Amino acid sequence: MDKRIDQVTAHDGSFDVHVWLPEGGSGPGILLVQEIYGVGPYIAKVAEELAGRGYVVAAPDLFWRLRPGWVGEHTPEGTAASIELAAGFDLPQGVADCALTLVHLRGLPEVTGGLGALGFCLGGSVDFMLATQTELDAVLSFYGSAVPEATGLMERISSPLLLVFGGSDPYIPREQVAKVEEAAQGRPNVRVYVDEEAGHAFHNSESPMFHHPEAAERAWRIALDFLGTHLPVS
């Protein structure tokens, strides 16, 4: 599996986009949107698995204006530092950077087939917002904390959308998740999956504080099925 770093230019500078290529050299494209920990070992692990399944994966460095190349540690101290850094993050600007990354991804010779987006935590909020502006073959948002407050925007999303939450997430209370479930009712393109046992960031296998292996496995199986349906690898 090949890995490289491309550069994408925005109006106020340029930023790194980490690209993973599948063994076959080409496939559908997935925009992978980071958590507050940056494009670190966890995001790399997810990217490697997706590339192993035949996707071309691109993960932009969203914190490039704040701290280029930021990788927060999965410790209480690293989490606190990452939360502090993320407090200065401009969400609309991050969405714009992801839109630029999608244009870059679409233009890569290695990308054949459709395009999708997958985001975790902060990235789950970013790719939900991105989907209100851009048509994609599949959008997967894991525990995006901005989603419950933005359910009114769901009607602007026509792409197939999978929203994943933990039912025991201290950062996104269950009643907030219920608002998302309610907003999704009657929308055939939207699926909400709630694992009642799981907390926040439960898929993050690099973080002992958050990881819930059983819930992660259940949700990931659903995510892969969703990708296989809407963004198949030929």
Side-chain angles (χ1 to χ4, degrees):
M1 178 185 311
D2 282 348
K3 158 104 187 356
R4 67 170 190 250
I5 296 179
D6 288 358
Q7 288 281 305
V8 169
T9 303
H11 68 96
D12 55 346
S14 58
F15 57 93
D16 287 350
V17 175
H18 301 254
V19 178
W20 289 261
L21 298 174
E23 288 292 335
S26 65
I30 293 182
L31 170 74
L32 178 58
V33 195
Q34 67 176 65
E35 311 173 293
I36 59 172
Y37 299 107
V39 185
Y42 167 61
I43 293 297
K45 191 185 272 188
V46 173
E48 284 164 11
E49 179 176 347
L50 291 171
R53 291 177 180 274
Y55 295 100
V56 176
V57 185
D61 174 14
L62 288 191
F63 290 164
W64 66 278
R65 291 182 186 87
L66 302 168
R67 287 280 296 276
W70 170 259
V71 175
E73 290 187 13
H74 290 89
T75 59
E77 301 76 27
T79 301
S82 296
I83 289 170
E84 191 181 336
L85 181 64
F89 176 68
D90 184 316
L91 186 68
Q93 196 114 54
V95 173
D97 288 345
C98 283
L100 288 172
T101 305
L102 271 182
V103 172
H104 178 74
L105 189 56
R106 191 176 272 123
L108 292 180
E110 295 94 348
V111 173
T112 53
L115 278 187
L118 164 63
F120 296 95
C121 300
L122 172 71
S125 297
V126 171
D127 80 347
F128 177 84
M129 297 303 180
L130 180 68
T132 67
Q133 308 169 7
T134 308
E135 181 84 31
L136 291 162
D137 294 291
V139 179
L140 297 83
S141 167
F142 274 65
Y143 28 77
S145 58
V147 174
E149 292 304 316
T151 52
L153 297 174
M154 208 181 276
E155 63 190 30
R156 294 192 199 170
I157 300 177
S158 54
S159 307
L161 174 65
L162 173 65
L163 298 164
V164 175
F165 293 96
S168 308
D169 186 333
Y171 299 97
I172 309 173
R174 187 63 183 84
E175 59 273 18
Q176 292 285 88
V177 176
K179 279 167 57 176
V180 179
E181 290 175 298
E182 199 177 323
Q185 277 180 354
R187 299 192 184 280
N189 63 312
V190 183
R191 174 165 185 201
V192 182
Y193 171 71
V194 183
D195 194 296
E196 300 297 352
E197 284 178 33
H200 195 65
F202 66 85
H203 184 262
N204 189 335
S205 53
E206 295 292 306
S207 175
M209 298 190 313
F210 293 122
H211 190 217
H212 187 308
E214 296 79 19
E217 194 179 322
R218 289 191 290 264
W220 194 238
R221 207 163 41 234
I222 284 164
L224 291 174
D225 282 349
F226 188 82
L227 280 173
T229 300
H230 300 289
L231 191 66
V233 175
S234 57

